[in-house]
Amino acid sequence: MQGKHVILRIALIGFALFVLLNFGGVHAEQQYTLEQALAAPETPATAGPLSLSLALELAEQRSESVRAQKAAAQAAQSEAVAAGELPDPMLNLEVSNIPANGPDQFSLAADFMTMRGVGISQTFTRQDKRKAQSNVFSKNAEVAQASELLALSQLRTGTAQAYLDRVYLQQMLELLRSQHTELQLQIDAADALFRAGKAPQTDVFTARTELGLLNLRVQDTQAMLDNAQADLHRWVGDAAGSELSSDVDLKRSSLGEVDLAESLNKHPELIALQKAEDAALANAEVKLQEKSADWTLSVMYAGRGPEFSEMLTLGASRPLFVDQTSRQDQAVAAANSMAAKARSERVELYRSHLAQTKRWQQTWQSNLKRLSDFDQSLIPLTQQRTQAALDAYRGNTGTLSEVLAARRMELDMRIEKLRIQMDTARLWAQLEYLIPEEVQQ
């Protein structure tokens, strides 16, 4: 009778452990749906002008890509903690020697050889192997942190480019609209002179044709401005509708004032590949540790009828490596090959980034010189031509067509300067935010 009570207690303990292992513990977080993310309140428009630094701050606050990489790093760090622990013990519930036929078929109590048992087993993973497994996830966390830096670099570059595109396209549009107003006045004056018999009607048609062409340029520029506005809204939300405050010095770049070959070693993509190589080497160490088998120990307590002794079973097991050359050694070789792959990719990517960044720097510096030429000679010359054509027209020694052509050239020169400024600003953003300041510190 006492044996039955012991078996009942063991069964209850086993059932409690089963419930705890399957229904207890930490609950998973609720799913964060795309609809919930899109329904989140947008960043409101700022009260004053939106500066580039504030735009970058707002973009980082609402970036899901940065949050994703932070979560990946945290997940890997948590995995590293878990990998450093022993595996969970296994609960074993067993009924053996059940009659399969005869009058006692499937009875759990009729036959004296039928035993009901409960046991537990534990695999004792060696500390060196657990440390190596934990190190793999730690390296994966560093890869995720490097990916976060890359996401920051791309976010800041994209935000700055969209911001500066809108700044210069807005200036282009304002310039075109001011010319539109001036040209409309010129049409009115030409029409009045024609009606007074002091100018030919061709002057009126010429001016109206010029106005039509200008309208097309206004429409094209407005479309480009709308696209830039949409790009900026993608990064900063509703704050993109605020007035912008351009306070960027395109002549200075943090990357342009340092040793480029040395600085590119801090490029987030290169850091990510360096960490990927470290993770592959850490995985190779795990495969090397797995060449030494771990032992699993078990204990089983079983009982039969009340007139029979209760039984205790002890056991130990471990895998037998029958062909390490074809299995374990190949796994180590594969991990080392992945590390070599990451190393080669990092070298090749470094060369690519170095060449590309040099091109950016050279084009940026060339554009700065061209902008200086615009300010010092090209625009002043077109202004002088416009004034000379206008003076000649007023003195009846020139034509309206010459005035319009001079103004068109001056307008084209100013628009071209703004276009080069916009291209220079995009290059400046590429250089300025290529390497996040978090890496440079």
Side-chain angles (χ1 to χ4, degrees), residues 2 20 22 32 83 92 129 242-243 259-260 267 310 390:
Q2 183 180 2
L20 179 62
N22 287 275
Y32 185 52
N92 304 312
K129 183 185 290 186
S242 304
E243 179 185 352
D259 180 14
L260 182 60
H267 191 291
E310 294 171 348
L390 187 58

Side-chain angles (χ1 to χ4, degrees), residues 168-174 176 216-226 415:
Y168 290 109
L169 286 169
Q170 184 68 48
Q171 292 180 19
M172 287 184 195
L173 188 60
E174 291 171 357
L176 290 170
L216 292 177
R217 298 183 70 175
V218 169
Q219 293 170 12
D220 290 342
T221 305
Q222 182 65 62
M224 290 189 292
L225 179 59
D226 291 341
I415 292 294

Side-chain angles (χ1 to χ4, degrees), residues 205-309:
F205 293 143
T206 301
R208 286 178 177 172
T209 302
E210 194 74 19
L211 183 63
L213 294 174
L214 185 61
N215 284 334
L216 292 177
R217 298 183 70 175
V218 169
Q219 293 170 12
D220 290 342
T221 305
Q222 182 65 62
M224 290 189 292
L225 179 59
D226 291 341
N227 290 337
Q229 176 75 6
D231 288 341
L232 186 58
H233 187 277
R234 174 257 184 274
W235 297 110
V236 303
D238 290 341
S242 304
E243 179 185 352
L244 302 188
S245 171
S246 178
D247 53 355
V248 177
D249 182 5
L250 299 182
K251 297 180 181 180
R252 299 183 62 85
S253 170
S254 58
L255 194 60
E257 301 171 356
V258 296
D259 180 14
L260 182 60
E262 178 66 25
S263 296
L264 279 183
N265 288 319
K266 300 178 182 179
H267 191 291
E269 281 190 284
L270 295 172
I271 294 177
L273 283 177
Q274 173 65 64
K275 300 304 181 183
E277 180 184 349
D278 294 343
L281 291 173
N283 189 50
E285 177 62 24
V286 170
K287 300 302 181 183
L288 189 63
Q289 291 292 333
E290 286 178 351
K291 294 180 67 174
S292 299
D294 297 321
W295 283 94
T296 299
L297 304 181
S298 62
V299 58
M300 173 73 73
Y301 189 86
R304 297 179 288 176
E307 65 275 17
F308 297 103
S309 300

Side-chain angles (χ1 to χ4, degrees), residues 54-260:
L54 179 56
L56 294 173
E57 182 180 343
L58 293 176
E60 187 172 341
Q61 289 174 0
R62 73 191 300 270
S63 171
E64 293 294 339
S65 61
V66 174
R67 271 191 282 273
Q69 297 305 326
K70 286 182 181 292
Q74 292 172 354
Q77 289 168 350
S78 297
E79 290 279 9
V81 175
E85 301 296 321
L86 285 173
D88 291 327
M90 296 291 292
L91 175 66
N92 304 312
L93 301 177
E94 180 181 285
V95 179
S96 60
N97 300 328
I98 301 173
N101 57 12
D104 297 331
Q105 185 179 24
F106 303 133
S107 172
L108 301 182
D111 195 290
F112 75 95
M113 291 190 66
T114 301
M115 292 189 295
R116 297 158 294 278
V118 60
I120 192 169
S121 61
Q122 172 69 61
T123 299
F124 291 91
T125 306
R126 292 176 299 105
Q127 184 177 5
D128 289 345
K129 183 185 290 186
R130 286 185 281 124
K131 184 178 179 180
Q133 292 170 341
S134 178
N135 191 39
V136 170
F137 289 106
S138 296
K139 296 303 180 183
N140 287 338
E142 293 177 1
V143 172
Q145 289 167 352
S147 298
E148 179 187 346
L149 293 173
L150 178 59
L152 277 173
S153 173
Q154 294 171 342
L155 175 146
R156 290 166 180 168
T157 301
T159 302
Q161 288 181 336
Y163 181 96
L164 294 168
D165 280 354
R166 191 190 140 188
V167 167
Y168 290 109
L169 286 169
Q170 184 68 48
Q171 292 180 19
M172 287 184 195
L173 188 60
E174 291 171 357
L175 181 59
L176 290 170
R177 284 176 174 169
S178 66
Q179 183 69 12
H180 185 281
T181 302
E182 186 175 345
L183 192 54
Q184 184 62 58
L185 294 174
Q186 193 71 53
I187 292 173
D188 294 340
D191 190 56
L193 290 173
F194 164 68
R195 294 181 185 279
K198 297 180 179 180
Q201 191 177 18
T202 54
D203 284 355
V204 180
F205 293 143
T206 301
R208 286 178 177 172
T209 302
E210 194 74 19
L211 183 63
L213 294 174
L214 185 61
N215 284 334
L216 292 177
R217 298 183 70 175
V218 169
Q219 293 170 12
D220 290 342
T221 305
Q222 182 65 62
M224 290 189 292
L225 179 59
D226 291 341
N227 290 337
Q229 176 75 6
D231 288 341
L232 186 58
H233 187 277
R234 174 257 184 274
W235 297 110
V236 303
D238 290 341
S242 304
E243 179 185 352
L244 302 188
S245 171
S246 178
D247 53 355
V248 177
D249 182 5
L250 299 182
K251 297 180 181 180
R252 299 183 62 85
S253 170
S254 58
L255 194 60
E257 301 171 356
V258 296
D259 180 14
L260 182 60

Side-chain angles (χ1 to χ4, degrees), residues 179 183 186 202-203 206-207 210 382-411:
Q179 183 69 12
L183 192 54
Q186 193 71 53
T202 54
D203 284 355
T206 301
E210 194 74 19
T382 57
Q383 289 175 325
Q384 293 169 12
R385 177 187 172 184
T386 300
Q387 187 61 46
L390 187 58
D391 291 342
Y393 177 65
R394 288 171 179 172
N396 293 324
T397 59
T399 65
L400 180 60
S401 297
E402 293 173 342
V403 174
L404 294 177
R407 281 182 171 165
R408 188 189 317 121
M409 177 172 285
E410 181 182 349
L411 178 64

